[in-house]
């Protein structure tokens, strides 16, 4: 055991000295592996960061949250022309679901409408996202309020002219001045500010509530009507915790089919979208992105491996005389084998570590320039980069090392003279 450890140690020292004594060749060999590892780990880090940001953007909602609407979150086999014929969900259907679907903790009705301009005295904020919802939305989204309160069920049903401001909107209109109870203008009408949301930060899709306002949906329904082509409605449902979601979705689907009078041979003319399904869809997309990125980056790493193999063959040829002398003095084949294998592995690992450092540096710069989007270099990817580097070195150096270990000492000395 100790003999093998001694052989490994001496082989490692010989390999290290060979690399130090041939600095230019070592640097050129490192470049290929560095670029390859940089490409692979860079792709993995970018996809991981994207996945983390997407999941962070939807983390405020429970994965069990369900969206009932005429649109599908992910892909579907139903052709577009048929989906275009699906009717919008209605406020009456929201009331039906709220009263008749068991185990629904909260049910909210929402409209998706365009951005608007908000005014307070001489201050104006443009391109403000408007979120018209019913009062249950507060519990479904688990919203946090910096000041004031959310509108209650009576205000929701009556479509009262009350409004909750996002953090950025409140700062843009009022600055440091308290805004609760102040009157602002939206849709050409006066609204009373009753609450301000806590600062949320910008999401991946620019969907932060900081730059939005929330109003009772029935107020907006009076403006747009129920058959508007510029807005589409949805019913948001949060089931009670601990229930079987598949059974709940089946019950919801059955109730909606009965309400709409769909025959057994008719397909559903609505979609029951589960947030977990959207998260799974995102996971599927990012895994495919990972695979494509890895395949492309593998070519860079392959070039690096060929570079190391080429350099190792040159190294064996240059040191043929030395190999012959070592073997004539009693060096075993395994000593020569380990010597060149270690040289290839050290080259690859150092190149991989440089690639990791470059990815880390680029991620810091990218995070600084992209604001709230944070690039993540995980320990798993760092470990993967190191292991892949070592494997590339092992594979690239195995043939040159074996050829060196099998040299005949007499022929090696004669060839090297």
């Amino acid at each position: 055991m100790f003999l093998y450890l001694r052989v490994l140690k001496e082989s490692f020292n010989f390999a290290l000295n060979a690399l130090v004594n041939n600095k230019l060749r070592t640097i050129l060999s490192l470049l290929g592996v560095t670029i390859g590892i940089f490409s692979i780990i860079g792709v993995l880090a970018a996809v991981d960061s994207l996945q983390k940001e997407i999941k962070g953007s939807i983390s405020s909602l429970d994965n069990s949250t369900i969206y009932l609407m005429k649109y599908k979150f992910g892909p579907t086999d139903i052709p577009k022309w048929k989906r275009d014929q699906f009717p919008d969900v209605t406020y009456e259907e929201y009331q039906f679901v709220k009263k008749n679907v068991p185990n629904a903790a909260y049910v909210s009705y929402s409209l998706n409408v365009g951005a608007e301009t908000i005014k307070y005295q001489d201050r104006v904020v443009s391109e403000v996202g408007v979120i018209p919802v019913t009062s249950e939305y507060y519990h479904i989204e688990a919203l946090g309020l910096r000041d004031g309160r959310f509108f209650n069920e009576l205000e929701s049903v009556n479509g009262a002219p009350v409004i909750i401001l996002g953090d950025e909107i409140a700062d843009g209109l009022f600055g440091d001045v308290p805004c609760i109870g102040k009157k602002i203008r939206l849709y050409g009408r006066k609204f009373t500010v009753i609450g301000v949301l806590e600062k949320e930060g910008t999401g991946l899709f620019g969907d932060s509530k900081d730059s939005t306002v929330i109003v009772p949906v029935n107020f907006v329904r009076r403006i747009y009507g129920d058959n508007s082509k510029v807005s589409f409605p949805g019913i948001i449902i949060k089931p009670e915790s601990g229930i079987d979601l598949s059974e709940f979705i089946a019950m919801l689907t059955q109730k909606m089919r009965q309400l709409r009078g769909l025959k057994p041979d008719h397909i559903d003319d609505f979609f029951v979208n589960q947030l977990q399904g959207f998260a799974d869809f995102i996971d599927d997309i990012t895994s495919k992105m990972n695979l494509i990125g890895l395949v492309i980056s593998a070519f860079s790493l392959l070039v690096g491996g060929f570079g190391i193999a080429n350099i190792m063959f040159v190294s064996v040829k240059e040191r043929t005389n030395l190999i012959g002398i070592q073997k004539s003095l009693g060096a075993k084949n395994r000593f020569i084998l380990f010597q060149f294998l270690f040289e290839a592995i050290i080259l690859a690992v150092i190149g991989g570590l440089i690639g990791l450092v470059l990815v880390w540096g680029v991620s810091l710069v990218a995070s600084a320039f992209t604001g709230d989007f944070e690039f993540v270099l995980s320990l798993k990817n760092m470990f993967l980069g190191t292991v892949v580097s070592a494997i590339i070195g092992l594979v690239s150096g195995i043939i040159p090392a074996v050829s060196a270990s099998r040299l005949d000492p007499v022929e090696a000395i004669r060839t090297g003279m």
Side-chain angles (χ1 to χ4, degrees), residues 85-103:
Q85 295 177 357
F86 288 178
D88 283 319
V89 293
T90 65
Y91 188 80
E92 289 70 27
E93 287 174 333
Y94 146 74
Q95 292 176 313
F96 174 83
V97 170
K98 186 176 178 181
K99 293 177 181 177
N100 296 280
V101 177
N103 300 318

Side-chain angles (χ1 to χ4, degrees), residues 23 70 103 278 315 330 384 388:
K23 295 183 179 64
K70 66 178 291 184
N103 300 318
F278 181 65
S315 181
L384 178 64
V388 169

